[in-house]
Amino acid sequence: MPQPDEGAAGATRLTGYAHGGGCACKIPPGELEDVVRSLIGQPGADVLVGLDSGDDAAAVLVHEDLAVLSTADFFTPVVDDAFDWGRIAAANALSDIYAMGGRPIMAVNLVGWPRGVLPPELMAEVLRGGLSVAAEAGCPVIGGHSIDDPEPKYGMAVTGVAPPDRLLRNDAAEPGLPITLTKPIGVGLLNNRHKQTGEVFAEAVATMAALNRDAAQAAVAAGVQAATDVTGFGLLGHLYKMCRASTVGAVIDLTAVPLIDGARQALRDGFVSGGTRRNLDWVRPHLRPASGVSEDDLLLLADAQTSGGLLVVGEVPGYPVIGHTTAGGGIEVR
């Protein structure tokens, strides 16, 4: 078992206990799709959203005016501060419900903890962080499940509700509409820098811990039909999944994509995760970059996000438009 990794001030560095951090530790998208391919198309008359399009949460009709949403998300430490890791993991899990236009009504904790290596008091701080964000969302956390695990892991299984006729889906995009992004990208680069150097990026933590609730409510109010959230597969990966599910294409205006401070510097300094490179490899066959778009630009767009924003087909007041959908296939970056 690894010995505790102490920072300069003697505090335990949680990221030192994980092979990857946050959503960057997800199984690569192409590999995951190969695994679940035979599971797609599970029957059920009341299943509104299943595995077929790889959407953010499952949706089942329980009444003519009520759909129940279900999702689960957990990951290894993305930051060293236990309370902040809990906040970020909870916001990330809740995001799947918001990405479907729903309201979370209940959550349960999912915990893996290396007993005898990390103290239980630290696990309590993680849980306290998750509880604080769930409370902000008005979502009670009622129990959960824990196991003894060589790597620390934390997240939540979340249940939500939504009107069935107002669901946001990743297979409902239409051509000729603006594309909106509700959080800046680049946190994956800063998280990787944090893991390797111990530098703390307060803006990145605040962004990841922020709920997507207000953006989701604004999207539903604007009459949007198609959305997803941007997490471990990066902006390009999640956009490609939505375009493929909806049989549309997209154009991305590189200069319009909001970046978190320090992301480009972290990219120049080489803090690119393996997950980001795998994201780009997966989506590259479907990209048409303009002549002025560099490999670094594409890596930034493929950066593996943790608790990123909503990617919405439609204009959402107060958030930047980063491109538009098209009738053709593929993604043009210019």
Side-chain angles (χ1 to χ4, degrees):
M1 297 288 283
Q3 294 302 306
D5 180 12
E6 304 295 331
T12 300
R13 292 207 58 206
L14 281 172
T15 56
Y17 292 86
H19 71 285
C23 291
C25 68
K26 292 175 77 168
I27 293 174
E31 184 179 328
L32 181 62
E33 288 189 344
D34 288 342
V35 170
V36 303
R37 185 168 287 117
S38 63
L39 307 176
I40 291 175
Q42 298 297 298
D46 295 327
V47 175
L48 301 177
V49 179
L51 283 172
D52 301 70
S53 64
D55 218 324
D56 297 290
V60 177
L61 187 69
V62 296
H63 192 271
E64 63 180 11
D65 61 355
L66 180 66
V68 170
L69 313 178
S70 182
T71 186
D73 212 313
F74 62 95
F75 48 63
T76 52
V78 67
V79 293
D80 290 325
D81 185 276
F83 183 78
D84 283 342
W85 174 33
R87 293 168 62 217
I88 292 165
N92 182 73
L94 291 162
S95 181
D96 285 343
I97 300 298
Y98 294 131
M100 300 286 292
R103 175 175 61 88
I105 60 169
M106 184 189 75
V108 294
N109 287 314
L110 303 173
V111 184
W113 201 256
R115 295 175 57 253
V117 178
L118 292 174
E121 294 82 7
L122 208 57
M123 181 173 72
E125 275 297 284
V126 177
L127 295 173
R128 193 169 67 87
L131 187 61
S132 72
V133 165
E136 181 186 347
C139 178
V141 182
I142 309 172
H145 184 68
S146 61
I147 61 169
D148 191 349
D149 192 329
E151 269 190 330
K153 300 178 180 72
Y154 174 63
M156 289 178 170
V158 187
T159 301
V161 294
D165 59 347
R166 303 197 75 183
L167 283 175
L168 305 181
R169 306 172 56 124
N170 75 347
D171 62 355
E174 297 179 353
L177 294 175
I179 298 172
T180 301
L181 181 64
T182 68
K183 283 187 185 181
I185 65 170
V187 295
L189 288 154
L190 296 185
N191 290 342
N192 201 25
R193 185 166 204 148
H194 172 69
K195 177 178 171 62
Q196 295 188 42
T197 70
E199 296 173 78
V200 176
F201 301 94
E203 184 185 354
V205 172
T207 295
M208 291 185 288
L211 292 171
N212 280 323
R213 175 186 55 198
D214 293 349
Q217 290 174 348
V220 171
V224 165
Q225 295 181 320
T228 188
D229 62 349
V230 179
T231 56
F233 301 154
L235 172 60
L236 286 178
H238 289 283
L239 176 60
Y240 167 63
K241 286 185 65 179
M242 186 156 58
C243 286
R244 182 181 61 181
S246 302
T247 62
V248 299
V251 174
I252 294 298
D253 178 0
L254 183 65
T255 62
V257 177
L259 305 180
I260 197 160
D261 286 348
R264 278 207 176 272
Q265 184 61 51
L267 179 65
R268 287 193 291 268
D269 291 343
F271 293 100
V272 180
S273 69
T276 291
R277 295 190 186 279
R278 290 189 292 270
N279 289 342
L280 183 54
D281 289 343
W282 180 59
V283 78
R284 193 188 298 275
H286 312 284
L287 296 180
R288 297 190 305 276
S291 58
V293 175
S294 68
E295 182 73 3
D296 277 359
D297 292 330
L298 296 179
L299 282 169
L300 189 56
L301 295 178
D303 185 45
Q305 303 300 281
T306 297
S307 192
L310 300 185
L311 185 64
V312 180
V313 177
E315 191 163 358
V316 183
Y319 299 97
V321 170
I322 64 166
H324 61 272
T325 53
T326 66
I331 300 171
E332 180 183 349
V333 182
R334 62 190 185 193

